[in-house]
Amino acid sequence: LSAGVCCCCAALRPRYKRLVDNIFPEDPKDGLVKADMEKLTFYAVSAPEKLDRIGAYLAERLSRDVVRHRYGYVLIAMEALDQLLMACHSQSIKPFVESFLHMVAKLLESGEPKLQVLGTNSFVKFANIEEDTPSYHRRYDFFVSRFSAMCHSCDQDPEVQTEIRIAGIRGIQGVVRKTVNDELRATIWEPQHMDKIVPSLLFNMQKIEDIDSRTGPQSSPTGGVKEENPSVLAENCFRELLGRATYGNMNNAVRPVFAHLDHHKLWDPNEFAVSCFKIIMYSIQAQYSHHVIQEILGHLDVRKRDSPRVRAGIIQVLLEAVAIAAKGSIGPAVLEVFNTLLKHLRISVDLELSDRRSSAGSATLSTSSKESDERIVQNAIIQTIGFFGSNLPDYQRSEIMMFIMSKVPVLGTTSQSLDPSHLGDLGTRRIQIMLLRSLLMVTSGYKATTISNALPAAFLDPLLSPSLMEDSELRQLVLEILHNLIDRHDNRAKLRGIRIIPDVSDLKIKRDKISRQDVSFMKKHGQQLYRHIYLGCKEEDNVQKNFELLFTSLALTTIELANEEVVIDLIRLAIALQDVAIINEDNLPMFNRCGVMALVAAYLNFLSQMIAVPAFCQHVSKVIETRSVEASYFLPETIFRDKCDLPKSLEKDETDLFFLTNKIAESLGGSGYSVERLSVPYVPQVTDEDRLSRRKSIVDTVSLQVDILPGNNTEDKVDNTEEITFEALKKAIDNNGLEEQEKEKRRLVIEKFQKAPFEEIAAQCETKANLLHDRLAQILELTIRPPPSPSGTMTITAGHAHYHSVPVYEMKFPDLCVY
């Protein structure tokens, strides 16, 4: 009877429950009953409205079996769920999915590793199913938290630990794949989820990397081993996550990386940090690179007071990031990168100098170590600036060159951000050298079509100013930067080292015909280049490298920019340098004088062979041969070697040892050169750059002296009064001006008009015209009063006025006099 009752009760049960019960065998070892499973599947496909009930019943049985530790039946239930998910694709599957996820959550909550792995595998299968319509109400917060916790498993059994961590990584990968494809469901990108997912992946990447570094390099694993490696799996998941990031959620995926690196102190050493950001830069879409750059810069600002090695580690990461991003456009981050790096360069110099001042008189080991660490930071900044700039397109690189040059502090002026007043001389010099070093790296490999593009006036003037500094290293850096910009055919390596070149043709110099733009550039700025080479040779602290760089500057100018007019100017410059060494008005040491003579010999030997005028070559060769016998210290091979015997004096009358202007003019004149200007000695024009470079400024003034002859009788003051007009002044100037002064004045005016910008010339002419108009208006109102002496002099000085102490003219206005 009881059996009959039970049969009746079983017959009255819903069909879906009977079908579900039938798939479970009496012994779980027998596995899923396939025939009954096929019936259940057919029923679910035929009546999809029953799916939610099937799922709820399966979940009920699974929960009961988990509590009773009947893990065999748990495996069967999950297998049935997986098959139903794969077979059923309709809108009514959504309630069934909720039951499925509830069962997966039950497995993940259990403390049994096998069940956790089982639930993860089922979730991964579910994640690979593409649903017809998304379910916006479904959230995966629990799964994110649980899978992230599994990634940090610390089970005592290493195999179990690895198995659980792999399951956690695969679960995170499943969550990412299930959510990121839906643009309307972006909950996975919220910070609370990214703060769990990203550190979990980095933790596994880091842990395995530490193990590998301790055990040494391992043999190359097979494909199956790679798949079971948590590090490889975590890296692939991390790449996939970043590859799916969009403009709006990129920052949320990157910021947890900084938190992880900070928490685990992975900036020093920073090998893992560098590898992480390489993965990031190569995984994200190229147009989002500037997001990562901005985040690194922002984190550098946050950690600006940390230890030098931490900051150096962050800057090294930035270097690797910009090296990858510079291959494409990184948008608005270009100038921000340089501005931030320059700011931190200033901070580093401040910290270094403050530590040095605080430890003055006690050279402790910790202080010297901290200073060396700051040098590491500074070198990292310079390397980053240079490497980033050298990989930018030419149009951006020229802007960056101008930007860096504008930041170089010059004593006596203020810069945009690097005010030298708080740094002192030592700090200013440190920043000058470091910025010029970074500029040297930026200009490396820069090939401009015309010199005017590489050296615009706005860049050339501030660049040449440090070349007048009383610091040999600064001058060397400026010359090397000029070489990078002038050398458009890679001839510099062939000219390395100052020497007498026997046959220039063996160097195989590459050159093109001088373009009109280059000719125009030399007309405007040639005197500026000559001037800085001339003054650079007169520095007392010059060493061999300075002379080598000066020789290279002259040679490159000859190759890239020399036409007939420039050749004559270069010869005038060389002869003027020879006169500097012979006359020695600047009291240069004997080594410098011999070095200048050797520089002139090496350059004229090079120039004579480049223009290939036989008579010129013969004269130069004869002087060099005479020097090799009688005064070898005038040749670079001798003067720049160790322990060279220097002469006690230089005799001015030993003309056989000198290059003579008349013979050079005679040799070039026979070959069609216009040699009239060779007779005019080269004199550099003095500008305000001397003041900015802490030199003595020579103010060039032009005085107009007018002698007034009042006559023999000094008492007849009224009778001898004459009216001073413009014509009278002009006549007095013409009669009393010295011819030599007029020539020099005209030459200076010509050079100024060749060099100065048009706007400056126009403004200066307008100012002088207005001043002259006012002066003449006043003069016409003067009442002439003869001076007390027989002859009086009125001095009118352009620029800075020099006045006599005796009043010459008194104006009609009682309170206004001209002295």
Side-chain angles (χ1 to χ4, degrees):
L1 180 62
S2 61
V5 172
C6 291
C7 291
C8 293
C9 291
L12 294 175
R13 298 183 68 196
R15 185 182 178 185
Y16 72 89
K17 287 187 177 182
R18 296 198 305 270
L19 292 174
V20 171
D21 291 336
N22 292 337
I23 65 175
F24 291 93
E26 293 184 3
D27 187 357
K29 295 181 179 179
D30 295 337
L32 182 67
V33 180
K34 295 184 179 180
D36 291 328
M37 186 65 211
E38 292 178 358
K39 295 179 181 178
L40 178 61
T41 304
F42 179 77
Y43 176 78
V45 173
S46 303
E49 68 276 1
K50 300 293 185 179
L51 271 174
D52 57 336
R53 299 181 184 181
I54 295 174
Y57 185 61
L58 277 171
E60 180 184 346
R61 288 200 53 141
L62 183 138
S63 299
R64 184 171 63 248
D65 293 335
V66 168
V67 173
R68 296 176 180 179
H69 301 284
R70 300 169 63 179
Y71 298 140
Y73 288 121
V74 172
L75 294 175
I76 294 173
M78 293 307 299
E79 184 178 356
L81 284 169
D82 294 341
Q83 291 189 22
L84 288 174
L85 278 175
M86 300 299 294
C88 303
H89 295 281
S90 64
Q91 294 183 357
S92 57
I93 199 176
K94 297 189 183 302
F96 175 74
V97 169
E98 298 300 329
S99 300
F100 168 79
L101 294 177
H102 177 70
M103 286 183 279
V104 172
K106 284 287 184 181
L107 297 180
L108 296 178
E109 287 177 338
S110 68
E112 183 64 31
K114 292 183 179 179
L115 296 185
Q116 293 179 3
V117 174
L118 177 64
T120 302
N121 293 336
S122 295
F123 183 84
V124 171
K125 292 178 182 178
F126 162 71
N128 292 327
I129 298 176
E130 295 184 5
E131 301 183 49
D132 297 335
T133 57
S135 178
Y136 303 117
H137 68 279
R138 189 185 306 155
R139 297 184 64 87
Y140 297 91
D141 299 8
F142 168 80
F143 296 99
V144 170
S145 300
R146 189 59 194 160
F147 288 138
S148 299
M150 292 170 63
C151 290
H152 292 82
S153 173
C154 296
D155 196 278
Q156 295 180 354
D157 188 347
E159 293 183 0
V160 174
Q161 180 187 108
T162 301
E163 188 178 13
I164 295 177
R165 288 187 179 182
I166 290 176
I169 297 169
R170 294 181 62 200
I172 290 178
Q173 193 173 28
V175 173
V176 172
R177 289 177 178 176
K178 194 64 178 176
T179 56
V180 296
N181 290 330
D182 187 3
E183 297 180 358
L184 299 180
R185 187 176 61 241
T187 55
I188 194 65
W189 296 108
E190 294 177 358
Q192 63 267 26
H193 299 321
M194 288 290 106
D195 291 343
K196 298 174 183 176
I197 292 175
V198 173
S200 300
L201 299 177
L202 295 179
F203 175 78
N204 285 274
M205 294 163 60
Q206 171 196 352
K207 284 297 180 181
I208 302 301
E209 184 176 290
D210 293 343
I211 295 174
D212 292 343
S213 63
R214 290 194 300 266
T215 58
Q218 300 178 351
S219 58
S220 177
T222 59
V225 176
K226 280 186 179 181
E227 190 174 337
E228 298 300 322
N229 188 340
S231 176
V232 175
L233 189 61
E235 180 179 332
N236 292 336
C237 183
F238 189 48
R239 290 180 183 274
E240 184 177 354
L241 175 68
L242 294 168
R244 297 173 182 269
T246 59
Y247 179 85
N249 48 48
M250 174 61 64
N251 293 341
N252 291 339
V254 175
R255 285 170 185 166
V257 177
F258 295 104
H260 179 83
L261 297 175
D262 290 341
H263 179 71
H264 293 276
K265 300 179 180 179
L266 297 175
W267 295 113
D268 178 33
N270 67 338
E271 288 79 6
F272 180 73
V274 170
S275 65
C276 283
F277 278 91
K278 282 185 175 180
I279 292 173
I280 293 173
M281 296 303 296
Y282 282 118
S283 300
I284 63 176
Q285 301 180 43
Q287 63 268 29
Y288 303 147
S289 297
H290 65 278
H291 279 286
V292 181
I293 302 295
Q294 289 171 340
E295 289 295 326
I296 299 175
L297 293 174
H299 195 69
L300 182 60
D301 287 335
V302 172
R303 305 296 299 271
K304 63 183 178 182
R305 294 300 175 183
D306 279 27
S307 66
R309 291 190 174 272
V310 170
R311 287 181 282 124
I314 299 175
I315 295 170
Q316 181 67 27
V317 168
L318 178 64
L319 171 61
E320 298 294 338
V322 299
I324 299 172
K327 297 178 181 178
S329 176
I330 64 170
V334 175
L335 288 180
E336 185 177 353
V337 169
F338 290 99
N339 201 28
T340 303
L341 288 175
L342 294 178
K343 179 178 68 176
H344 285 277
L345 184 63
R346 164 68 182 274
I347 293 174
S348 178
V349 172
D350 282 342
L351 292 175
E352 179 187 359
L353 295 179
S354 62
D355 293 337
R356 183 177 301 179
R357 287 190 292 266
S358 62
S359 62
S362 60
T364 60
L365 178 62
S366 60
T367 301
S368 61
S369 175
K370 192 168 184 180
E371 286 184 5
S372 63
D373 290 344
E374 289 296 342
R375 295 292 180 93
I376 294 175
V377 175
Q378 295 160 15
N379 290 332
I381 292 175
I382 293 171
Q383 187 179 10
T384 304
I385 291 175
F387 189 83
F388 184 28
S390 62
N391 283 277
L392 289 175
D394 287 345
Y395 71 92
Q396 279 187 328
R397 202 192 309 197
S398 60
E399 295 178 0
I400 296 304
M401 288 159 47
M402 300 277 290
F403 181 78
I404 297 176
M405 198 66 240
S406 68
K407 299 294 182 179
V408 177
V410 179
L411 290 174
T413 62
T414 57
S415 180
Q416 293 181 13
S417 64
L418 300 179
D419 184 6
S421 59
H422 302 292
L423 295 173
D425 292 352
L426 180 60
T428 300
R429 178 185 177 275
R430 292 275 300 142
I431 289 186
Q432 286 172 336
I433 290 178
M434 287 184 288
L435 288 180
L436 290 177
R437 283 174 55 193
S438 62
L439 186 60
L440 178 63
M441 296 184 65
V442 171
T443 57
S444 178
Y446 182 61
K447 296 291 188 298
T449 55
T450 62
I451 294 297
S452 58
N453 291 337
L455 290 170
F459 177 73
L460 181 63
D461 293 338
L463 174 65
L464 292 179
S465 293
S467 69
L468 300 179
M469 295 289 181
E470 297 176 352
D471 188 292
S472 60
E473 187 176 358
L474 280 174
R475 299 195 302 271
Q476 291 172 13
L477 289 171
V478 171
L479 290 175
E480 289 178 341
I481 293 170
L482 278 176
H483 297 170
N484 283 344
L485 298 174
I486 294 177
D487 184 19
R488 293 172 290 180
H489 297 86
D490 298 324
N491 293 312
R492 183 176 31 172
K494 305 170 185 177
L495 301 169
R496 184 170 293 124
I498 180 172
R499 63 195 186 280
I500 303 297
I501 303 174
D503 190 355
V504 175
S505 61
D506 292 341
L507 301 180
K508 297 181 180 179
I509 299 293
K510 299 178 182 178
R511 62 184 304 187
D512 294 330
K513 185 178 179 181
I514 309 300
S515 63
R516 289 186 298 176
Q517 292 86 347
D518 293 344
V519 172
S520 176
F521 173 84
M522 290 304 292
K523 287 182 178 179
K524 292 181 180 178
H525 305 288
Q527 295 298 326
Q528 205 171 354
L529 295 176
Y530 306 150
R531 172 178 181 269
H532 286 268
I533 293 174
Y534 178 83
L535 296 177
C537 291
K538 297 171 64 175
E539 295 291 343
E540 294 185 6
D541 61 340
N542 279 340
V543 294
Q544 179 179 351
K545 185 175 180 181
N546 290 90
F547 288 109
E548 289 179 354
L549 294 173
L550 289 166
F551 167 74
T552 305
S553 300
L554 290 169
L556 290 176
T557 304
T558 305
I559 295 171
E560 297 286 348
L561 301 169
N563 55 7
E564 288 190 11
E565 183 179 352
V566 174
V567 166
I568 297 299
D569 287 335
L570 290 170
I571 294 175
R572 292 175 58 215
L573 175 61
I575 298 300
L577 290 174
Q578 180 179 256
D579 293 339
V580 167
I582 297 173
I583 302 173
N584 196 26
E585 293 180 349
D586 298 287
N587 296 321
L588 295 176
M590 185 55 67
F591 170 78
N592 295 68
R593 297 173 68 185
C594 294
V596 173
M597 297 291 283
L599 168 65
V600 173
Y603 174 64
L604 289 182
N605 172 70
F606 175 82
L607 177 63
S608 62
Q609 296 185 56
M610 287 296 294
I611 63 177
V613 177
F616 186 24
C617 294
Q618 184 178 0
H619 172 64
V620 173
S621 300
K622 184 178 179 180
V623 174
I624 292 175
E625 290 174 3
T626 305
R627 288 184 178 185
S628 62
V629 176
E630 301 180 8
S632 61
Y633 43 77
F634 284 167
L635 298 178
E637 289 81 1
T638 302
I639 188 61
F640 295 126
R641 73 183 181 189
D642 296 335
K643 298 180 181 180
C644 173
D645 295 330
L646 299 175
K648 295 182 180 179
S649 62
L650 298 183
E651 300 297 335
K652 300 179 181 180
D653 55 352
E654 296 180 358
T655 57
D656 293 342
L657 300 177
F658 307 144
F659 301 99
L660 303 179
T661 305
N662 57 348
K663 291 189 177 182
I664 295 176
E666 182 181 350
S667 61
L668 293 180
S671 298
Y673 281 82
S674 178
V675 296
E676 290 80 6
R677 288 190 302 118
L678 282 177
S679 59
V680 181
Y682 172 77
V683 178
Q685 183 180 2
V686 181
T687 66
D688 287 341
E689 291 173 357
D690 296 314
R691 176 180 58 82
L692 298 181
S693 59
R694 304 185 67 186
R695 291 170 169 269
K696 292 182 179 180
S697 179
I698 303 174
V699 180
D700 185 21
T701 61
V702 180
S703 298
L704 305 180
Q705 295 187 346
V706 182
D707 293 338
I708 303 176
L709 302 178
N712 296 329
N713 188 3
T714 58
E715 296 179 358
D716 300 333
K717 298 180 181 180
V718 180
D719 296 338
N720 290 327
T721 302
E722 63 176 349
E723 181 181 3
I724 296 181
T725 63
F726 178 77
E727 294 297 332
L729 286 174
K730 181 179 179 182
K731 182 178 180 181
I733 292 172
D734 292 340
N735 292 335
N736 297 288
L738 297 176
E739 183 179 356
E740 198 66 24
Q741 292 180 354
E742 289 297 324
K743 287 183 179 180
E744 183 65 14
K745 177 185 174 182
R746 285 195 295 270
R747 188 186 65 80
L748 292 175
V749 172
I750 291 173
E751 286 185 358
K752 185 173 185 62
F753 272 81
Q754 288 178 342
K755 174 185 172 182
F758 174 79
E759 293 80 4
E760 181 182 343
I761 296 173
Q764 188 173 2
C765 290
E766 183 179 0
T767 303
K768 289 186 176 181
N770 294 335
L771 180 61
L772 180 60
H773 181 273
D774 295 340
R775 291 280 180 89
L776 290 177
Q778 293 176 1
I779 291 173
L780 293 177
E781 296 293 333
L782 293 177
T783 300
I784 306 302
R785 187 177 65 185
S789 59
S791 63
T793 302
M794 178 184 69
T795 303
I796 302 175
T797 305
H800 295 269
H802 303 277
Y803 304 111
H804 293 285
S805 59
V806 179
V808 180
Y809 296 95
E810 181 178 341
M811 297 186 65
K812 289 183 178 181
F813 305 101
D815 57 343
L816 182 59
C817 298
V818 178
Y819 290 89

